[in-house]
Coordinates of all heavy atoms in Angstrom, one line a residue:
T81 N 300.4 152.7 134.4 CA 300.3 152.7 135.9 C 300.2 151.2 136.3 O 300.9 150.8 137.3 CB 299.1 153.4 136.4 OG1 299.2 154.8 136.0 CG2 298.9 153.3 137.9
K82 N 299.4 150.4 135.7 CA 299.2 149.0 136.0 C 300.5 148.3 135.8 O 300.9 147.5 136.7 CB 298.1 148.4 135.1 CG 297.7 147.0 135.5 CD 296.4 146.6 134.8 CE 296.4 146.8 133.3 NZ 295.2 146.4 132.7
N83 N 301.2 148.5 134.7 CA 302.5 147.9 134.5 C 303.6 148.2 135.5 O 304.4 147.4 135.9 CB 303.0 148.2 133.1 CG 302.3 147.5 132.0 OD1 301.6 146.5 132.2 ND2 302.3 148.1 130.8
L84 N 303.6 149.5 136.0 CA 304.6 150.0 136.9 C 304.3 149.6 138.3 O 305.3 149.2 139.1 CB 304.7 151.5 136.8 CG 305.4 152.0 135.5 CD1 305.2 153.5 135.5 CD2 306.9 151.7 135.5
F85 N 303.1 149.8 138.8 CA 302.8 149.8 140.2 C 301.8 148.7 140.7 O 301.8 148.4 141.9 CB 302.3 151.1 140.7 CG 303.2 152.3 140.3 CD1 302.8 153.3 139.4 CD2 304.5 152.4 140.8 CE1 303.6 154.3 139.1 CE2 305.3 153.4 140.5 CZ 304.9 154.4 139.6
L86 N 301.0 148.2 139.9 CA 299.8 147.5 140.4 C 299.8 146.0 140.0 O 300.5 145.6 139.1 CB 298.5 148.1 140.0 CG 298.4 149.6 140.4 CD1 297.1 150.2 139.8 CD2 298.3 149.7 141.9
T87 N 299.0 145.2 140.6 CA 298.8 143.8 140.3 C 297.7 143.7 139.3 O 296.9 144.6 139.1 CB 298.4 143.0 141.5 OG1 297.1 143.4 142.0 CG2 299.4 143.2 142.7
P88 N 297.5 142.5 138.6 CA 296.5 142.4 137.6 C 295.1 142.2 138.3 O 294.1 142.0 137.6 CB 296.8 141.1 136.9 CG 298.2 140.8 137.3 CD 298.4 141.4 138.6
E89 N 295.0 142.2 139.6 CA 293.7 142.1 140.3 C 292.6 143.0 139.8 O 292.9 144.2 139.5 CB 294.0 142.4 141.8 CG 292.7 142.4 142.6 CD 292.9 143.3 143.9 OE1 293.9 143.8 144.1 OE2 291.9 143.3 144.7
K90 N 291.4 142.4 139.6 CA 290.3 143.2 139.1 C 289.4 143.5 140.2 O 288.6 142.7 140.7 CB 289.6 142.5 138.0 CG 290.4 142.4 136.7 CD 289.6 141.8 135.6 CE 290.5 141.7 134.3 NZ 289.8 141.1 133.2
S91 N 289.5 144.8 140.7 CA 288.6 145.2 141.9 C 288.4 146.7 141.8 O 289.2 147.4 141.1 CB 289.2 144.8 143.2 OG 290.4 145.6 143.4
L92 N 287.4 147.2 142.4 CA 287.1 148.6 142.4 C 288.2 149.4 143.1 O 288.6 150.4 142.6 CB 285.8 148.9 143.2 CG 285.3 150.3 143.3 CD1 285.1 150.9 141.9 CD2 284.1 150.5 144.1
R93 N 288.8 148.8 144.2 CA 289.9 149.5 144.9 C 291.1 149.7 144.0 O 291.7 150.7 144.0 CB 290.2 148.6 146.1 CG 291.4 149.2 147.0 CD 291.6 148.4 148.2 NE 292.8 148.8 149.0 CZ 294.0 148.4 148.7 NH1 294.3 147.5 147.8 NH2 295.0 148.9 149.5
R94 N 291.4 148.6 143.2 CA 292.6 148.7 142.3 C 292.3 149.7 141.2 O 293.2 150.4 140.8 CB 292.9 147.3 141.8 CG 294.4 147.2 141.4 CD 294.6 146.5 140.1 NE 293.8 147.3 139.1 CZ 293.9 147.0 137.8 NH1 294.7 146.1 137.4 NH2 293.3 147.7 136.9
K95 N 291.1 149.7 140.7 CA 290.8 150.7 139.6 C 290.9 152.1 140.1 O 291.3 153.0 139.4 CB 289.3 150.4 139.1 CG 289.2 149.2 138.2 CD 290.1 149.2 137.0 CE 289.6 150.1 135.9 NZ 290.5 150.0 134.7
I96 N 290.5 152.4 141.4 CA 290.6 153.7 142.0 C 292.1 154.1 142.1 O 292.5 155.2 141.8 CB 289.9 153.8 143.3 CG1 288.4 153.7 143.1 CG2 290.2 155.1 144.0 CD1 287.5 153.5 144.4
Q97 N 292.9 153.1 142.6 CA 294.3 153.3 142.7 C 294.9 153.7 141.3 O 295.8 154.6 141.2 CB 295.0 152.1 143.3 CG 294.8 151.9 144.8 CD 295.5 150.6 145.2 OE1 295.5 149.6 144.5 NE2 296.0 150.6 146.4
E98 N 294.5 152.9 140.3 CA 295.0 153.1 139.0 C 294.7 154.5 138.5 O 295.6 155.2 137.9 CB 294.3 152.0 138.1 CG 294.8 152.0 136.6 CD 294.0 151.0 135.8 OE1 294.3 149.8 136.0 OE2 293.1 151.4 135.1
A99 N 293.5 154.9 138.7 CA 293.1 156.3 138.3 C 293.9 157.4 139.0 O 294.3 158.3 138.3 CB 291.6 156.5 138.5
M100 N 294.0 157.2 140.3 CA 294.7 158.3 141.0 C 296.2 158.3 140.6 O 296.8 159.4 140.5 CB 294.6 158.0 142.5 CG 293.2 158.2 143.1 SD 293.0 157.6 144.8 CE 294.1 158.8 145.6
L101 N 296.8 157.2 140.4 CA 298.2 157.1 140.0 C 298.4 157.7 138.6 O 299.4 158.4 138.3 CB 298.8 155.7 140.1 CG 299.1 155.2 141.5 CD1 299.3 153.7 141.5 CD2 300.3 155.9 142.0
A102 N 297.4 157.4 137.7 CA 297.4 157.9 136.3 C 297.4 159.4 136.3 O 298.2 160.1 135.6 CB 296.3 157.4 135.5
I103 N 296.6 160.0 137.2 CA 296.5 161.5 137.3 C 297.9 162.1 137.7 O 298.4 163.1 137.2 CB 295.4 161.9 138.2 CG1 294.0 161.6 137.6 CG2 295.5 163.4 138.5 CD1 292.9 161.7 138.6
Q104 N 298.5 161.4 138.7 CA 299.8 161.8 139.2 C 300.9 161.7 138.1 O 301.7 162.6 138.0 CB 300.3 161.0 140.4 CG 299.5 161.3 141.7 CD 299.6 162.7 142.1 OE1 300.6 163.3 142.1 NE2 298.4 163.3 142.5
I105 N 300.9 160.7 137.3 CA 301.8 160.5 136.2 C 301.6 161.7 135.2 O 302.6 162.3 134.7 CB 301.7 159.1 135.5 CG1 302.2 158.0 136.4 CG2 302.4 159.1 134.2 CD1 302.0 156.6 135.9
E106 N 300.4 161.9 134.9 CA 300.1 163.0 133.9 C 300.5 164.4 134.4 O 300.9 165.3 133.6 CB 298.6 163.1 133.6 CG 298.1 161.9 132.8 CD 298.2 162.1 131.3 OE1 298.6 163.2 130.9 OE2 297.9 161.1 130.6
R107 N 300.5 164.6 135.7 CA 301.0 165.8 136.3 C 302.5 166.0 136.2 O 303.0 167.1 136.2 CB 300.5 165.9 137.8 CG 299.1 166.3 138.0 CD 298.8 166.3 139.5 NE 297.4 166.7 139.8 CZ 296.9 166.7 141.0 NH1 297.6 166.3 142.0 NH2 295.6 167.1 141.2
N108 N 303.2 164.9 136.3 CA 304.7 164.9 136.4 C 305.4 164.7 135.1 O 306.6 164.9 135.0 CB 305.1 164.0 137.5 CG 304.8 164.5 138.9 OD1 305.4 165.3 139.4 ND2 303.7 163.9 139.4
Y109 N 304.7 164.1 134.1 CA 305.4 163.8 132.8 C 304.6 164.3 131.6 O 303.4 164.5 131.7 CB 305.6 162.2 132.7 CG 306.4 161.6 133.8 CD1 305.9 161.1 134.9 CD2 307.8 161.6 133.6 CE1 306.7 160.6 135.9 CE2 308.6 161.0 134.6 CZ 308.1 160.5 135.7 OH 308.9 160.0 136.7
T110 N 305.4 164.5 130.6 CA 304.7 165.0 129.3 C 304.1 163.8 128.6 O 304.4 162.6 128.9 CB 305.8 165.6 128.4 OG1 306.7 164.6 128.0 CG2 306.5 166.8 129.1
K111 N 303.3 164.1 127.6 CA 302.7 163.0 126.8 C 303.7 162.2 126.1 O 303.6 161.0 126.0 CB 301.7 163.6 125.8 CG 300.4 164.2 126.4 CD 299.5 163.1 127.1 CE 298.2 163.8 127.6 NZ 297.3 162.7 128.1
S112 N 304.7 162.8 125.6 CA 305.8 162.1 124.9 C 306.6 161.2 125.8 O 306.9 160.0 125.4 CB 306.7 163.1 124.1 OG 307.3 163.9 125.1
Q113 N 306.8 161.6 127.0 CA 307.5 160.8 128.0 C 306.6 159.6 128.4 O 307.1 158.5 128.6 CB 307.8 161.6 129.3 CG 308.9 162.6 129.1 CD 309.2 163.5 130.3 OE1 308.2 164.0 130.9 NE2 310.4 163.7 130.6
I114 N 305.3 159.8 128.6 CA 304.4 158.7 128.9 C 304.3 157.7 127.8 O 304.4 156.5 128.1 CB 303.0 159.3 129.2 CG1 303.0 160.1 130.5 CG2 301.9 158.2 129.4 CD1 301.8 161.0 130.8
L115 N 304.2 158.1 126.6 CA 304.1 157.2 125.4 C 305.4 156.4 125.3 O 305.4 155.2 125.0 CB 303.8 158.0 124.2 CG 303.6 157.1 122.9 CD1 302.4 156.2 123.1 CD2 303.4 158.0 121.7
T116 N 306.6 157.1 125.6 CA 307.9 156.4 125.5 C 308.0 155.3 126.6 O 308.4 154.2 126.3 CB 309.0 157.4 125.6 OG1 308.9 158.4 124.6 CG2 310.4 156.7 125.5
M117 N 307.6 155.7 127.8 CA 307.6 154.7 128.9 C 306.7 153.5 128.5 O 307.1 152.3 128.7 CB 307.2 155.3 130.2 CG 308.2 156.2 130.8 SD 307.8 156.7 132.5 CE 306.7 158.0 132.2
Y118 N 305.5 153.8 128.0 CA 304.6 152.7 127.6 C 305.2 151.8 126.6 O 305.2 150.6 126.7 CB 303.3 153.3 127.1 CG 302.3 152.4 126.6 CD1 301.3 151.8 127.5 CD2 302.2 152.0 125.3 CE1 300.3 151.0 127.0 CE2 301.3 151.1 124.8 CZ 300.3 150.6 125.7 OH 299.4 149.7 125.2
A119 N 305.9 152.4 125.6 CA 306.5 151.7 124.5 C 307.7 150.8 124.9 O 308.0 149.8 124.3 CB 306.9 152.6 123.3

Side-chain angles (χ1 to χ4, degrees):
T81 298
K82 187 166 58 179
N83 285 340
L84 285 170
F85 304 117
L86 302 172
T87 65
E89 171 202 3
K90 292 185 178 180
S91 68
L92 180 61
R93 179 175 176 273
R94 207 225 56 172
K95 287 301 287 184
I96 292 169
Q97 287 178 322
E98 183 183 285
M100 291 173 68
L101 285 165
I103 292 167
Q104 290 300 316
I105 287 174
E106 290 274 353
R107 281 179 176 174
N108 288 283
Y109 295 93
T110 64
K111 291 291 185 179
S112 58
Q113 288 174 319
I114 291 167
L115 185 60
T116 303
M117 284 189 280
Y118 178 89

